[in-house]
Amino acid sequence: MPARDKTHVKAKAAAKADERKGPVVNRFGLPNLGIGLGLRTVHYSHILEHFPPVEWFEIISENYMQTAGKPLLFLDRIAERYPMVMHGVSLSIGSTDPLNYEYLRELKALRDRTSALWVSDHLCWTGVSGKNTHDLLPMPYTEEALLHVASRIRAVQDYLEAPLILENPSTYVEFSSSTMSEWEFISALAKEADCGLLLDVNNVYVSAHNHQFDPHEYLAAIPYDRVVQFHVAGHTRKGDHIIDTHIGPIIEPVWELLGDAYRRTQGAAVLLEWDAEIPAFEVVHNEALLARDFIDISIENEPSVEVA
Amino acid sequence: MTMTTSAPLRWSLSTVQKWFMSVTTHPGSVQAGVDAHSEVVSASELGRVLRLGSEESLVERLTIYHRGYFSRLEECLADDYPALKYALGDEAFSELCHDYVNAHPSSEPNLNGYGRALAGFIRELDLDTASFFSELAQLEWASVEVLHALAPEPMSAQALLSIPAEALPSVCFKASDAFRLFAFEYPANAYLQAFYEDRDPIIPDPERSFVAVVRSGYAIWRFDLNRAQFALLSRLARGVPLGAALDGIEASATEVQTWFSEWTNCGLFADLRFDPH
């Protein structure tokens, strides 16, 4: 690690997180951070020059793992000033390969370094037999898979000493052997493993289109006392299906799904992901802030539910 | 084409994942992947594994994962090797990536180190001027390596200046972990620099060259060396004391002082110590 006063940095980051976090709004006691952005390298310069008033940043965990160099120099400076959350893409919680404890060790170290408020990843697998596709591959929604994933989530949570927050993925195929819907699987899994949820409403929209289900039925089934965070993002239509490309801006029906879901919570952090053809920082930030309209409308129009 | 509509196959999760992975990472195509595993499930029985209307649309959906697999890794290699991509041309680079992905599937949680074997892979190919492409790849990869390497606070020029002249021959240097040194058959750095300056470089003729790559803080330095500089740096990087390292180096004291000034300024040395012998 670069020579620096780590203790001082961590204390500052912890204080910063305490200042910025909102009321406790879920069963895990995790704060509503407001509206955040995914931290992307093309925006480093702008952020470090202007320190724009973004409420929080989400980092892709793996971008700062297996490195001791320049990415961490940028990250340390940004993490000193903003609340951070970690979002992974390689935990491969659904894989039948053994859990990678070296990966978890590095994940935990990164969380400590950034004082990240929580760690999330996806309900998926990324590879098997030691090979990583770096894709978020679909699960069959069976009893066997549920028990398998739940036991791995519990092991990860024991290791991290914190709840794991799992995101629903976008999928392009469904398995014939599935005995339950995705929303039934996720709800049952969250309860079985006692984990948190990151509800990506764009992924709900994409999968609903690809598999011809009602996204509102999906949203109605989610245990919202476990929802810690939302994702919104853009996508790309390709013939009869939609690809989750994270190219913005967000279409109105996805914003409306966010509003529909958000009103069922006591408030949760909202994050915009924009990963391809990334425009200037202010464009991305302004797009994210549009969430306020839908969140505010939702809260004004609908009573919140009790947290269990 | 007619799909079989009999009962879903109740595979174990492990079997499902191995089949799915084999099909969506098959070197040829999804269809070839399905055909290659027809003893497990035939193309007409795909509906027993995946839900959807027809075999064609199932193959199309699986192809999203197949295309994503190869394009994601090619994109990663293109990020790390832009000059190599330019030198080979888009089509040849894409073919190279496809072959590399099949020969070197990723096993790491991230892609920071994915391209590390590409230079060696190229050297083994039956390719005109493979040595040049391999050296260019080595040089581009060096920038990736030093970007991720630990670069400690560099030794200051003052640290060297404060040493009495009579003690200088016994000084040993510790090179930064974010430092790489190369001797090439081709002028790879000149080509790379011309590429970055949009000067449309062409494949050069063989010409011996020596290059250093080093990172200090946010800055990455990449510069040509002459033969004497390379010889001296090679010895110093191995821990040879300065006096012995200078043996046979054809350079004036003023020249050597200038070199050290430049090298310390770009953070090439992390530390120094005195050789007890």
Side-chain angles (χ1 to χ4, degrees), chain B residues 136 145 158 251 263:
Chain B
L136 183 59
E145 280 194 333
Q158 190 57 41
W263 295 343

Side-chain angles (χ1 to χ4, degrees), chain B residues 228 231 235 243-251:
Chain B
R235 294 171 191 169
L246 283 167
D247 276 353
I249 299 293
E250 292 181 4

Side-chain angles (χ1 to χ4, degrees), chain A residues 1 62 65-71 73-74 77 90 94-96 103 125 128-135 137-138 140 144 148 172-178 210 240-241 243, chain B residues 8-14 16-18 20-21 25 47-51 60-62 64-65 69 72-73 105-112 147-150 153 215 217-218:
Chain A
M1 295 208 329
E62 290 78 4
M65 296 167 71
Q66 297 184 304
T67 182
K70 202 166 159 181
L73 298 183
F74 287 110
R77 289 178 62 193
S90 283
S95 175
T96 48
Y103 170 84
W125 57 291
V128 72
S129 306
K131 186 166 155 182
N132 191 355
T133 66
H134 301 276
D135 200 352
L137 303 175
E144 181 205 2
H148 173 73
Y172 311 107
V173 295
E174 293 180 303
F175 289 93
S176 302
S177 57
S178 290
N210 289 343
D240 75 333
H241 58 269
I243 309 276
Chain B
L9 289 171
R10 300 292 178 193
W11 284 344
S12 69
L13 183 58
S14 172
V16 169
Q17 292 184 343
K18 285 173 181 163
F20 192 92
M21 184 102 153
T25 64
R48 298 184 67 193
V49 182
L50 300 167
R51 284 182 193 156
E60 187 186 351
R61 291 293 181 92
L62 286 170
I64 297 170
Y65 293 100
Y69 174 66
R72 187 176 309 106
L73 295 176
S106 172
S107 59
E108 299 291 328
N110 71 20
L111 291 167
N112 287 350
L147 185 140
H148 290 295
L150 185 65
E153 284 294 314
R215 179 175 71 83
Y218 293 92

Side-chain angles (χ1 to χ4, degrees), chain A residues 259 262-265 292-304:
Chain A
Y262 198 92
R263 71 178 168 78
R264 301 166 194 262
T265 70
R292 275 204 183 111
D293 300 340
F294 295 87
I295 290 169
D296 290 343
I297 288 168
S298 300
I299 292 172
E300 283 166 11
N301 290 355
E302 301 287 343
S304 297

Side-chain angles (χ1 to χ4, degrees), chain B residues 9 11 19 34-35 37-49:
Chain B
L9 289 171
W11 284 344
W19 176 85
V34 170
D35 292 344
H37 295 87
S38 59
E39 79 287 356
V40 182
V41 59
S42 68
S44 64
E45 289 185 314
L46 270 184
R48 298 184 67 193
V49 182

